[in-house]
Amino acid sequence: MSSKRLLLGILALTAAISLAGCGGQKDATNNFNAKSYGHDGYMGLSNSNPHLPNRNGEFSNQDSDGDFAQSKLKQIPGVAKATIIFQAPDMYVTVTPQKGYDSKQVKAKAISVLRMNMPRYNVHVRMAR
């Protein structure tokens, strides 16, 4: 009977020690801050390279790409207005030329500028009146 008491006492002491070891106190040496890496590519979500299409073929940065393309088109003489529509991997641009400018030259310049600055898109430009 005394061996059972001894065994029970040892088990109780072992349990108390193991539970005490799990409860850490906060101090300067035990201050861990877990950091998230955001969408790491699993489940079709990724922020590691936003210039690549996701699994649905869509780009996650079309707003900034559209703004950039608009700024490049505004630098071309003869462009009055431009409308951009994305259907990845295609970019459809409708350019309204200013009066007095040759539509063919404006279109050629727009295609050249957009293809140079936006190589990940298949650029399609049409002129409107």
Side-chain angles (χ1 to χ4, degrees), residues 16-85:
I17 291 172
S18 65
L19 288 175
C22 292
Q25 294 194 7
K26 287 194 171 191
D27 59 359
T29 61
N30 193 14
N31 188 7
F32 297 106
N33 293 326
K35 294 184 181 178
S36 171
Y37 287 100
H39 299 297
D40 58 358
Y42 292 108
M43 305 292 286
L45 303 171
S46 175
N47 65 358
S48 59
N49 189 347
H51 299 291
L52 296 176
N54 63 17
R55 67 183 180 152
N56 298 325
E58 298 172 355
F59 292 92
S60 60
N61 58 350
Q62 288 179 348
D63 290 337
S64 62
D65 284 351
D67 293 341
F68 179 70
Q70 283 285 357
S71 70
K72 288 298 180 184
L73 288 169
K74 286 179 183 177
Q75 296 174 3
I76 299 172
V79 174
K81 180 183 170 188
T83 305
I84 301 171
I85 297 173

Side-chain angles (χ1 to χ4, degrees), residues 2 8 14 20 22 29 31-32 54 79 82 99 109 124 127:
S2 67
L8 188 58
T14 305
C22 292
T29 61
N31 188 7
F32 297 106
N54 63 17
V79 174
K99 292 186 180 190
K109 185 67 175 168
H124 308 277
M127 301 304 285

Side-chain angles (χ1 to χ4, degrees), residues 78-80 96-103 106 129:
V79 174
T96 304
Q98 293 176 352
K99 292 186 180 190
Y101 283 90
D102 183 23
S103 293
V106 173
R129 276 277 173 204

